């Protein structure tokens, strides 16, 4: 029989079309409401069609609004590597015809808040609108996850870029959805911090707290006190060479984060956790003697000399320079574990430091111990260990940032076999990291007292990006969902499948995650 007889050809065509159909079935889900988004949006309605992103589309943006233009550029930069599409940005004063992406601000939607957005996806176009540019950035994070996981590829993928249609109307539960990276115990270069910011931006985090100083290292250039970095930045835990950010590098990080709606919150930890500063400038100690640089992981042995005037001149200079390169609202003053600072010295010290920071125009965040002091209005207290301190803060009218070590410290080991991490607070498996509610964790801390949550990554045991990946993933996305999605909508069973669906993205991004057996991974 002739292989190319009309009958055979017809038969082969039927097989081929049926095969394509079934492929399309498996690769093109048409139910927007069952897309495995993290964090889960507040409201999704599906209308059962498909939108296809094509190379000949344009990204229309509201004209004459630089921040909207930046959001448009950000979207293009996300779409370009994997699609190869060089989508053009076209400012427009009015809504464009269908068949394109259109991003604009819409002040009539004020109930969405500063970071809420509406994403309208039809078979002929996408409209993204928000009250503020921050909301557009959040909507872009959603759009990114709605595209096939291949969008995370850094090389061109020849696939159909299909998205199910419908409407997402979404806004965050908490205004502060943070992560902390300790760059003091081990130093991480700018590129590592930027990659961490990339991770945060995928899951709608909006704060990165950088722990810039500790006993083992001082990591930010202060031009008026150059030995802080020259001496204090010269080592790290384990005795490696350490490092620091120049002010220009720090500003590069700030700007990279800003474009992703992430505010950098710098921390200078005081009066304890200051050995690196004391080793650099012995006049900051009470006996005037410089201690040795420290490369171990004990805590609670160092203190600035709270009775010396030079200490406050030092802090004024440091805070002045830091505030000048920090556009965000807050400076974090640490205040934890000052075990060798008597409380009667600690309290007036914290009060004076608050005044110094306030004079720079910034608001203050501090670890929960600072609530022993009289707090200035607007101060945020970061609960990590002691609920009594959180209560002290609340009684003074302060808001609480929830970072309970036993839930939200992502440097804790998953279990006793984890290759890195500590376990002084707890072993925290992926489900334990997810299964808690900031508003009910402590009886004394109510929803209205809470500004948000923070996942803290301390770096005693981590030295490189692979280590960061292993501890942050797959716990980090869960903390994002706790911060964004109302607790009434959160459920581990449902979440665990959405997390499993992130696996291909992790793989394409080269994230070396911990393959926890609590997660129903696809492979
Ligand atoms: C802390 O973990 N010492 C804030």
């Amino acid at each position: 029989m002739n292989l190319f007889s009309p009958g055979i050809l017809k038969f082969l065509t039927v097989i081929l079309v049926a095969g394509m159909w079934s492929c399309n079935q498996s690769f093109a889900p048409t139910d927007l409401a069952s897309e495995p988004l993290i964090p889960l949006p507040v409201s999704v309605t599906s209308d059962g069609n498909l939108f296809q992103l094509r190379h000949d589309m344009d990204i229309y943006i509201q004209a004459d609004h630089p921040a909207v233009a930046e959001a448009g550029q950000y979207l293009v930069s996300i779409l370009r590597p994997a699609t190869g599409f060089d989508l053009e940005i076209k400012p427009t004063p009015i809504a464009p015809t269908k068949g394109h992406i259109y991003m604009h601000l819409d002040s009539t939607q004020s109930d969405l808040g500063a970071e809420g957005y509406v994403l309208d996806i039809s078979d002929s176009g996408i409209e993204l609108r928000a009250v503020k540019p921050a909301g557009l950035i959040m909507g872009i994070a959603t759009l990114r996850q709605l595209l096939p996981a291949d969008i995370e590829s850094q090389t061109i993928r020849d696939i159909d870029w299909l998205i199910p249609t419908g409407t997402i109307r979404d806004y965050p539960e908490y205004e502060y959805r943070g992560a902390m990276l300790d760059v003091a115990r081990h130093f991480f270069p700018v590129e590592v911090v930027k990659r961490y910011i990339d991770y945060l931006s995928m899951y709608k985090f909006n704060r990165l707290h950088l722990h810039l100083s500790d006993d083992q290292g001082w990591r930010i250039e202060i031009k008026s006190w150059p030995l802080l970095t020259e001496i204090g930045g010269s080592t790290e835990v384990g005795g490696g060479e350490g490092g620091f950010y120049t002010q220009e590098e720090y500003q590069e990080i700030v700007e990279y984060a800003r474009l992703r709606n992430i505010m950098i919150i710098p921390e200078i930890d005081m009066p304890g956790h200051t050995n690196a500063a004391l080793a650099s400038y012995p006049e900051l100690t009470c006996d005037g003697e410089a201690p040795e640089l420290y490369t171990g992981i004990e805590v609670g042995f160092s203190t600035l000399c709270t009775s010396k005037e030079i200490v406050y001149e030092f802090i004024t200079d440091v805070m002045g320079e830091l505030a000048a390169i920090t556009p965000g609202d807050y400076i974090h003053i640490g205040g934890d574990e000052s075990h060798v600072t008597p409380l009667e010295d600690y309290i007036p010290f914290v009060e004076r430091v608050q005044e110094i920071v306030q004079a720079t125009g910034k608001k203050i965040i501090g670890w929960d111990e600072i609530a022993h002091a009289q707090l200035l209005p607007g101060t945020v207290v970061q609960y990590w260990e002691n609920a009594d301190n959180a209560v002290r803060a609340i009684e003074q009218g302060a808001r609480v940032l929830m970072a309970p070590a036993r839930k939200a410290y992502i440097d804790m080991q998953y279990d006793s076999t984890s290759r890195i991490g500590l376990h002084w607070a707890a072993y925290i498996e992926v489900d334990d990291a997810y299964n808690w509610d900031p508003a009910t964790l402590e009886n004394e801390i109510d929803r209205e007292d809470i500004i948000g949550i923070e996942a803290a990554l301390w770096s005693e045991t981590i030295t490189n990006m692979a280590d960061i990946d292993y501890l942050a993933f797959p716990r980090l996305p869960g903390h994002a969902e706790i911060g964004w999605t109302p607790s009434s909508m959160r459920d581990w069973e449902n979440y665990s499948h959405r997390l499993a669906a992130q696996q291909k993205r992790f793989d394409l991004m080269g994230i070396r995650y911990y393959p926890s057996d609590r997660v129903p991974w696809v492979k």
Side-chain angles (χ1 to χ4, degrees):
M1 191 169 68
N2 181 351
L3 198 56
F4 296 103
S5 71
I8 289 287
L9 274 183
K10 193 168 172 195
F11 175 69
L12 286 176
T13 306
V14 167
I15 298 269
L16 195 65
V17 168
M20 282 168 62
W21 170 248
S22 65
C23 275
N24 266 340
Q25 288 286 296
S26 57
F27 288 110
T30 52
D31 182 8
L32 187 64
S34 46
E35 283 293 292
L37 294 168
I38 298 176
L40 194 66
V42 171
S43 134
V44 183
T45 49
S46 179
D47 64 17
N49 284 320
L50 280 170
F51 165 86
Q52 182 171 2
L53 182 73
R54 293 188 320 268
H55 70 91
D56 57 354
M57 287 178 171
D58 294 314
I59 298 183
Y60 282 88
I61 56 161
Q62 176 180 347
D64 300 323
H65 205 302
V68 178
E70 280 175 356
Q73 293 290 355
Y74 175 54
L75 177 58
V76 169
S77 73
I78 287 173
L79 300 179
R80 186 182 293 125
T83 64
F85 300 165
D86 212 3
L87 303 178
E88 205 177 320
I89 297 190
K90 295 193 169 164
T92 173
I94 49 156
T97 54
K98 301 235 178 258
H100 299 282
I101 297 176
Y102 175 39
M103 296 175 31
H104 65 109
L105 302 181
D106 181 355
S107 58
T108 67
Q109 306 276 331
S110 62
D111 54 326
L112 288 171
E115 294 177 296
Y117 65 93
V118 176
L119 192 55
D120 257 327
I121 306 163
S122 72
D123 52 3
S124 62
I126 293 180
E127 181 183 349
L128 171 57
R129 55 189 191 275
V131 184
K132 302 265 190 211
L136 298 178
I137 301 291
M138 298 295 92
I140 290 169
T142 300
L143 194 52
R144 177 176 179 175
Q145 284 192 27
L146 289 172
L147 282 158
D150 296 86
I151 198 68
E152 305 306 339
S153 169
Q154 286 307 302
T155 53
I156 294 176
R157 298 267 163 153
D158 188 17
I159 66 164
D160 290 343
W161 299 101
L162 297 167
I163 301 179
T165 56
T167 298
I168 297 180
R169 193 183 160 76
D170 196 19
Y171 47 85
E173 174 71 13
Y174 290 103
E175 74 179 68
Y176 188 120
R177 304 176 307 282
M180 189 209 79
L181 185 61
D182 172 9
V183 296
R185 267 49 175 274
H186 282 99
F187 177 70
F188 300 103
V190 172
E191 290 315 311
V192 169
V193 179
K194 284 185 177 172
R195 188 169 157 98
Y196 205 61
I197 290 170
D198 288 340
Y199 296 167
L200 300 178
S201 69
M202 283 180 70
Y203 300 106
K204 303 189 175 80
F205 284 95
N206 66 357
R207 306 279 185 264
L208 174 61
H209 163 189
L210 290 175
H211 183 73
L212 288 169
S213 70
D214 212 301
D215 290 319
Q216 299 86 348
W218 185 284
R219 308 300 182 202
I220 179 71
E221 175 190 25
I222 301 296
K223 292 182 196 284
S224 55
W225 295 73
L227 300 184
L228 289 170
T229 44
E230 194 174 309
I231 296 173
S234 66
T235 191
E236 60 185 7
V237 167
E241 66 182 26
F244 66 91
Y245 308 117
T246 64
Q247 294 197 357
E248 290 67 32
E249 287 170 331
Y250 173 83
Q251 286 172 290
E252 189 183 323
I253 292 170
V254 165
E255 178 63 7
Y256 191 83
R258 185 190 69 78
L259 291 169
R260 290 156 179 77
N261 186 40
I262 294 172
M263 182 194 291
I264 296 293
I265 296 175
E267 177 187 354
I268 300 297
D269 203 349
M270 317 175 267
H273 289 279
T274 43
N275 191 78
L278 303 175
S280 309
Y281 288 101
E283 56 268 49
L284 302 175
T285 67
C286 281
D287 64 7
E289 305 253 331
E292 298 279 301
L293 288 168
Y294 182 68
T295 60
I297 63 167
E298 297 300 314
V299 298
F301 59 88
S302 59
T303 184
L304 293 169
C305 189
T306 60
S307 59
K308 276 187 165 177
E309 211 43 41
I310 180 99
V311 164
Y312 300 96
E313 289 165 20
F314 164 75
I315 295 168
T316 303
D317 290 342
V318 169
M319 292 302 166
E321 289 195 35
L322 198 52
I325 54 174
T326 302
D329 298 337
Y330 293 101
I331 288 183
H332 199 303
I333 61 170
D336 57 320
E337 297 176 311
S338 285
H339 300 324
V340 295
T341 323
L343 195 59
E344 62 268 28
D345 297 341
Y346 176 87
I347 289 172
F349 173 85
V350 168
E351 290 170 357
R352 201 159 161 194
V353 171
Q354 283 186 99
E355 299 283 349
I356 292 170
V357 172
Q358 191 184 46
T360 69
K362 300 297 178 189
K363 292 191 277 192
I364 295 113
I365 306 185
W367 298 106
D368 62 51
E369 290 94 323
I370 70 161
H372 285 284
Q374 175 106 48
L375 301 174
L376 289 177
T379 294
V380 170
V381 166
Q382 184 163 11
Y383 166 66
W384 67 280
E385 189 184 47
N386 189 317
D388 291 342
N389 286 338
V391 171
R392 284 187 181 93
I394 292 163
E395 284 172 356
Q396 298 192 57
R399 297 184 81 193
V400 178
L401 175 58
M402 295 296 284
R406 66 189 192 277
K407 295 289 182 190
Y409 273 21
I410 55 176
D411 62 307
M412 292 297 116
Q413 291 172 294
Y414 296 93
D415 64 25
S416 63
T417 69
S418 299
R419 69 173 177 84
I420 46 172
L422 301 174
H423 56 260
W424 58 263
Y427 292 112
I428 310 179
E429 250 295 353
V430 184
D431 51 345
D432 300 323
Y434 179 83
N435 267 328
W436 63 285
D437 178 0
T440 57
L441 186 73
E442 300 287 354
N443 286 335
E444 308 91 330
I445 307 175
D446 296 333
R447 171 66 187 87
E448 63 268 23
D449 304 321
I450 299 172
I451 190 169
I453 87 155
E454 191 170 280
L457 183 51
W458 299 97
S459 65
E460 285 94 335
T461 68
I462 61 182
T463 61
N464 55 40
M465 197 76 230
D467 291 348
I468 291 176
D469 286 357
Y470 175 84
L471 289 174
F473 285 89
R475 290 182 287 201
L476 192 65
H479 293 296
E481 180 149 306
I482 295 171
W484 184 279
T485 306
S487 61
S488 60
M489 294 178 63
R490 294 199 291 109
D491 165 65
W492 164 255
E493 175 60 22
N494 175 288
Y495 171 76
S496 69
H497 288 95
R498 285 182 285 120
L499 181 58
Q502 296 284 306
Q503 186 178 28
K504 187 169 177 195
R505 289 171 200 262
F506 298 165
D507 289 342
L508 283 164
M509 293 177 71
I511 295 175
R512 290 142 288 188
Y513 59 95
Y514 163 64
S516 166
D517 63 10
R518 308 281 171 102
V519 182
W521 303 111
V522 179
K523 62 174 171 64

